[in-house]
Amino acid sequence: IRLILYLCISPVAQKNNPMYEFVFGGWGNTRSAIRDRSQGPSLADAEGEVLLGIGSKVRVWVRVQPMPNGGSEVSMGTMHSGVEHVLCTYRRSTPLFKGPMHIGLMTGYGLAGNWSPVQ
């Protein structure tokens, strides 16, 4: 069974470009990636399993932070026993968008998922 979590951050409350798309456990749970549009090319990626299987709980996080030069640092990772593990990071010289950010979550391949977003 393929488990994929797509987490999107967008300036509008709908799946629309520009947006950041974070793919956890993609490509048969062999890779995770950061994209700057839906189904776009990977800007940063990491190899390795992330999602453990149906019924398992995995804590994931994403972060978009301003940088002193006016750009943005975009990161994604997992959390185990209260310790953050960075999967990959992408740095942009200019922000992709500014202002409020809306979050969208979905699974791939029509599987159900239970999400508990925290800030």
Side-chain angles (χ1 to χ4, degrees):
I1 293 176
R2 296 178 180 172
L3 298 177
I4 301 173
L5 166 62
Y6 293 96
L7 190 151
C8 302
I9 297 178
S10 171
V12 295
Q14 61 186 8
K15 188 176 178 181
N16 195 22
N17 296 320
M19 66 181 221
Y20 287 114
E21 180 178 60
F22 301 87
V23 182
F24 289 90
W27 301 270
N29 199 23
T30 62
R31 204 166 105 207
S32 298
I34 299 171
R35 302 171 172 165
D36 64 357
R37 62 184 176 273
S38 178
Q39 298 296 311
S42 298
L43 303 173
D45 60 8
E47 292 187 10
E49 289 187 358
V50 174
L51 304 178
L52 304 176
I54 294 175
S56 66
K57 293 183 180 181
V58 177
R59 296 188 108 179
V60 299
W61 56 267
V62 299
R63 188 174 294 128
V64 178
Q65 293 182 180
M67 294 184 351
N69 67 357
S72 298
E73 182 176 272
V74 183
S75 304
M76 65 186 289
T78 59
M79 183 176 287
H80 303 285
S81 302
V83 178
E84 287 187 356
H85 301 276
V86 176
L87 291 172
C88 56
T89 299
Y90 171 67
R91 291 176 182 87
R92 291 183 60 91
S93 59
T94 59
L96 185 59
F97 53 83
K98 294 181 181 182
M101 294 184 194
H102 300 271
I103 297 173
L105 300 163
M106 71 178 206
T107 56
Y109 298 97
L111 295 173
N114 294 315
W115 314 114
S116 301
V118 295
Q119 190 171 14

